[in-house]
Amino acid sequence: HYQEDFTDNILQVLPNYTHVGNRNFIRGLDDMNTVNALGSSVGYTYGKMTDKFYLISNLGYIQHFDYIGQNMLIEPNYRLVRDQLFKNKSTFFLNAELNYYVQKLEGNMKVLYDYNASNYQSFIEPVGLQNIEQLQHKFGLEYRSAWEQWCNIHMGLNWTYMQFKNLQSQKMNQGQGFFNINFSAWRGLRSSLKNELYFLHNASSAIKNKYVFSDLILNYNLKKYKMSF
């Protein structure tokens, strides 16, 4: 059994509405409280991080006797959200990570999986109290090279599927792909090129969005003067 203090988010202790952008306003609780929960988990590990094959997994369940939820008023031109204490939220989670060193590729392959299922309540005006079921699956695949050369790469793909059920069902897909290259061609000079692709898909409204980011970083280290720029 454990207690959680919600004051890690300053907005939850402000009794007045705060503008958080895009015509959204959030109001915290009037009184400071702690929330109580009972949880248990079990983990399994095979091997060590330095082994060729390494596996770590975790399985658990949390029962929140009280928790901080949201009371929402959604209008065409703005949205008001008030934090509110609710009772009885249950969460089941499972996650696993598998690492395997591939000799021919001279690098480490990583497979990730994360599962989360929750049942909780939220209040939407003027509809009233809503019972919500949330389901999430997350898959990931990564490769990180360990080449004894001037260049190394780190690339991967993460995919998240989410489903919300109350009066109707909503499904969403989110993905992230990345490809990073690190160079150390000259003594003291290092560079890295980071490329990221994000894609969002709301199956209920058929809305698809893609975002691409790319960053080039150069770093030079003057060991003699203990300086870098």
Side-chain angles (χ1 to χ4, degrees):
H1 180 270
Y2 60 90
Q3 289 185 326
E4 295 178 327
D5 191 345
F6 69 86
T7 54
D8 58 338
N9 186 347
I10 188 62
L11 294 178
Q12 293 177 337
V13 298
L14 295 178
N16 299 317
Y17 282 104
T18 302
H19 181 243
V20 293
N22 197 25
R23 300 181 181 179
N24 291 321
F25 299 85
I26 294 180
R27 177 182 176 181
L29 298 174
D30 295 328
D31 299 320
M32 297 181 63
N33 292 277
T34 56
V35 292
N36 297 279
L38 179 65
S40 63
S41 63
V42 58
Y44 174 75
T45 302
Y46 180 85
K48 300 181 296 184
M49 294 185 65
T50 54
D51 292 343
K52 185 176 181 179
F53 178 80
Y54 175 63
L55 171 68
I56 181 171
S57 60
N58 194 31
L59 171 70
Y61 176 83
I62 301 176
Q63 178 64 46
H64 299 266
F65 300 109
D66 40 38
Y67 65 97
I68 300 174
Q70 293 184 334
N71 184 322
M72 293 183 290
L73 173 63
I74 302 176
E75 296 289 346
N77 297 321
Y78 63 89
R79 187 180 72 156
L80 301 179
V81 177
R82 290 190 294 111
D83 288 329
Q84 179 177 328
L85 285 177
F86 292 91
K87 298 289 185 180
N88 297 323
K89 173 184 177 181
S90 60
T91 301
F92 173 80
F93 62 90
L94 167 68
N95 54 70
E97 176 183 318
L98 185 151
N99 292 270
Y100 184 76
Y101 183 81
V102 183
Q103 188 67 39
K104 291 185 177 181
L105 298 178
E106 296 184 0
N108 184 72
M109 296 292 300
K110 179 185 292 186
V111 179
L112 302 164
Y113 175 70
D114 185 80
Y115 172 82
N116 188 293
S118 298
N119 291 277
Y120 59 95
Q121 291 181 324
S122 184
F123 194 93
I124 302 177
E125 298 181 6
V127 180
L129 192 64
Q130 300 291 303
N131 294 312
I132 300 175
E133 297 180 13
Q134 178 181 337
L135 179 67
Q136 176 178 298
H137 294 275
K138 183 176 182 180
F139 306 89
L141 179 64
E142 296 183 15
Y143 168 75
R144 184 188 295 270
S145 67
W147 304 332
E148 296 181 356
Q149 300 178 13
W150 55 271
C151 174
N152 273 286
I153 63 174
H154 181 207
M155 60 183 179
L157 176 66
N158 297 305
W159 185 272
T160 303
Y161 167 81
M162 294 181 292
Q163 183 177 17
F164 301 88
K165 292 182 179 180
N166 48 8
L167 296 178
Q168 59 183 2
S169 178
Q170 296 183 1
K171 299 178 181 180
M172 295 183 62
N173 293 293
Q174 297 181 358
Q176 177 200 12
F178 62 91
F179 184 80
N180 304 329
I181 310 176
N182 296 300
F183 302 93
S184 56
W186 299 276
R187 180 179 299 180
L189 178 64
R190 295 180 179 273
S191 63
S192 63
L193 178 63
K194 298 183 178 181
N195 305 281
E196 294 182 337
L197 168 66
Y198 295 88
F199 37 95
L200 310 174
H201 179 209
N202 189 330
S204 302
S205 58
I207 297 177
K208 296 181 179 180
N209 294 306
K210 294 182 180 179
Y211 306 93
V212 179
F213 301 91
S214 184
D215 296 303
L216 176 63
I217 301 175
L218 297 175
N219 179 272
Y220 187 75
N221 186 18
L222 292 172
K223 293 184 178 180
K224 181 178 180 181
Y225 301 101
K226 297 181 179 181
M227 298 174 58
S228 62
F229 56 90

